[in-house]
């Protein structure tokens, strides 16, 4: 019987020592999470053309998180709504999209991006400003191969016209062959 007690004690002692030997330290360093993959996109701001008579669009680069089409378009449009950087403004770039305009939603289906913007998008400015802001969104959204045209919603509703002059936005808009001037 004493032999069995000694054998069991030896097994327990070996198990305890083995447990201490292989026990991981209490503060295990975990490797940092891999940073999200990012991609370059373009957002379109407004630039005064030579002679300051006409406005045109100018593309600038932004880095956003690489994501599926809807999320990538949303990140890119949010970068557009954030406006030009201080450096870009000093180079004469501006936005006609009113400050405080929010992106409510973006969905992409069958080549159509439905872009739902807050009501401030439709406020203020004349026909030149309205044209510029619409083309800023259309050019920014249609850079992606999944997007051929843009349908605007304002405050969750489809509207036929924008602004006092009645800029037609009720049907999907496509990027024209030539860069527009306004």
């Amino acid at each position: 019987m004493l032999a069995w007690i000694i054998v069991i004690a030896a097994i327990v002692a070996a198990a305890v020592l083995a447990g201490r030997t292989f026990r991981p330290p209490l503060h295990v360093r975990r490797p940092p999470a891999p940073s999200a993959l990012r991609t370059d996109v373009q957002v379109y701001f407004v630039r005064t053309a030579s002679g300051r008579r006409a406005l045109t669009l100018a593309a600038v680069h932004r880095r956003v998180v690489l994501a599926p089409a809807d999320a990538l378009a949303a990140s890119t449009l949010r970068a557009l709504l954030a406006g030009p950087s201080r450096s870009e403004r000093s180079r004469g770039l501006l936005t006609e999209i009113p400050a405080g305009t929010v992106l409510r939603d973006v969905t992409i289906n069958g080549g159509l991006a439905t872009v739902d913007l807050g009501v401030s998008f439709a406020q203020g400015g004349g026909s030149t400003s309205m044209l510029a802001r619409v083309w800023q969104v259309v050019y920014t959204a249609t850079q992606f191969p999944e997007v051929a045209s843009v349908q605007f919603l304002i405050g969750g509703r489809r509207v036929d016209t924008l602004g006092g002059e009645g800029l037609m936005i009720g049907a999907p808009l496509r990027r024209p062959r030539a860069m527009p001037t306004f």
Side-chain angles (χ1 to χ4, degrees):
M1 173 103 149
L2 184 60
W4 282 106
I5 294 175
I6 293 174
V7 170
I8 292 174
I11 292 173
V12 170
V16 169
L17 288 174
R20 288 187 183 165
T21 305
F22 297 107
R23 180 180 296 165
L26 292 177
H27 300 287
V28 176
R29 283 189 155 207
R30 294 182 185 195
S35 61
L37 295 176
R38 299 181 78 74
T39 188
D40 285 318
V41 295
Q42 294 180 324
V43 296
Y44 286 82
F45 294 124
V46 177
R47 178 188 347 235
T48 302
S50 61
R52 297 191 172 273
R53 294 180 187 212
L55 301 176
T56 189
L57 297 179
V60 298
H61 294 277
R62 293 288 188 269
R63 291 202 43 89
V64 297
V65 173
L66 184 60
D70 289 6
L72 181 59
S75 295
T76 303
L77 287 167
R78 282 189 193 95
L80 170 67
L81 296 178
S85 68
R86 183 178 304 197
S87 169
E88 291 161 347
R89 286 191 306 272
S90 73
R91 293 189 321 239
L93 296 176
L94 56 101
T95 184
E96 288 295 332
I97 298 171
T101 298
V102 296
L103 179 66
R104 293 170 39 96
D105 193 25
V106 178
T107 57
I108 299 173
N109 188 6
L112 175 68
T114 302
V115 178
D116 186 1
L117 297 164
V119 295
S120 63
F121 182 80
Q123 297 173 343
S127 59
T128 299
S129 176
M130 295 293 176
L131 279 169
R133 68 183 74 168
V134 164
W135 289 123
Q136 283 183 260
V137 172
V138 170
Y139 267 74
T140 298
T142 57
Q143 71 186 285
F144 304 109
E146 300 87 359
V147 180
S149 59
V150 175
Q151 176 65 61
F152 283 89
L153 300 179
I154 306 297
R157 296 181 45 235
R158 189 180 209 164
V159 296
D160 291 327
T161 60
L162 187 65
E165 290 80 15
L167 176 61
M168 302 297 286
I169 63 166
L173 299 173
R174 291 183 174 272
R175 185 187 281 211
R177 292 181 193 204
M179 183 78 71
T181 56
F182 6 85

